[in-house]
């Protein structure tokens, strides 16, 4: 994820400022049943990759037995699903242009036009 974020940062020309230009976000979900085929956003915490790493490495995430955990009540600031969706839809988060094409090429298999 860090490599993809770095490549996208280099591809971004800065002509359309965003709050977050990296494609890598982490979502921590509440424990709830999975509904196949649902298009609804899952409630939880949406964090940038660096924010997530900083939280996991901090004392906030240390459990009583040396384990790591992040609870909504312990995380001082995060995006909820409504705010995340609004910022993404309005173009304040994520990639664009060359960065988006780079991510698409990583995720989708090559198409054959024969």
């Amino acid at each position: 994820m860090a490599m993809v974020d770095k490549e996208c940062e280099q591809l971004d020309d800065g002509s359309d400022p965003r709050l977050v230009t990296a494609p890598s976000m982490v979502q921590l979900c509440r424990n709830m049943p999975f509904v196949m085929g649902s298009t609804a956003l899952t409630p939880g915490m949406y964090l940038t990759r660096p924010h997530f790493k900083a939280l996991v490495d901090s004392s906030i995430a240390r459990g009583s037995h040396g384990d790591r955990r992040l609870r909504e009540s312990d995380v001082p600031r995060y995006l909820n699903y409504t705010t995340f969706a609004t910022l993404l839809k309005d173009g304040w988060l994520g990639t664009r242009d060359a960065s988006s094409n780079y991510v698409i090429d990583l995720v989708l298999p090559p198409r054959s036009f024969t």
Side-chain angles (χ1 to χ4, degrees), residues 45-95:
M45 296 185 285
Y46 291 77
L47 308 162
T48 64
R49 184 191 50 76
H51 186 191
F52 173 73
K53 181 167 179 6
L55 287 169
V56 168
D57 292 343
S58 75
S59 62
I60 290 173
R62 289 199 185 98
S64 57
H65 303 292
D67 54 331
R68 300 278 184 196
R69 68 173 185 212
L70 288 172
R71 297 180 298 196
E72 287 178 273
S73 59
D74 295 333
V75 177
R77 191 171 40 246
Y78 60 88
L79 297 176
N80 64 29
Y81 64 99
T82 304
T83 305
F84 172 78
T86 300
L87 290 172
L88 187 65
K89 177 183 68 74
D90 291 345
W92 287 104
L93 302 176
T95 62

Side-chain angles (χ1 to χ4, degrees), residues 32-51:
M32 53 190 297
F34 176 73
V35 179
M36 184 65 102
S38 173
T39 58
L41 288 174
T42 305
M45 296 185 285
Y46 291 77
L47 308 162
T48 64
R49 184 191 50 76
H51 186 191

Side-chain angles (χ1 to χ4, degrees), residues 1-22:
M1 287 172 56
M3 279 181 21
V4 173
D5 285 353
K6 185 173 182 162
E7 182 67 26
C8 287
E9 181 182 323
Q10 292 172 351
L11 291 170
D12 185 15
D13 65 8
S15 63
D16 182 17
R18 295 168 182 262
L19 297 174
V20 177
T21 58

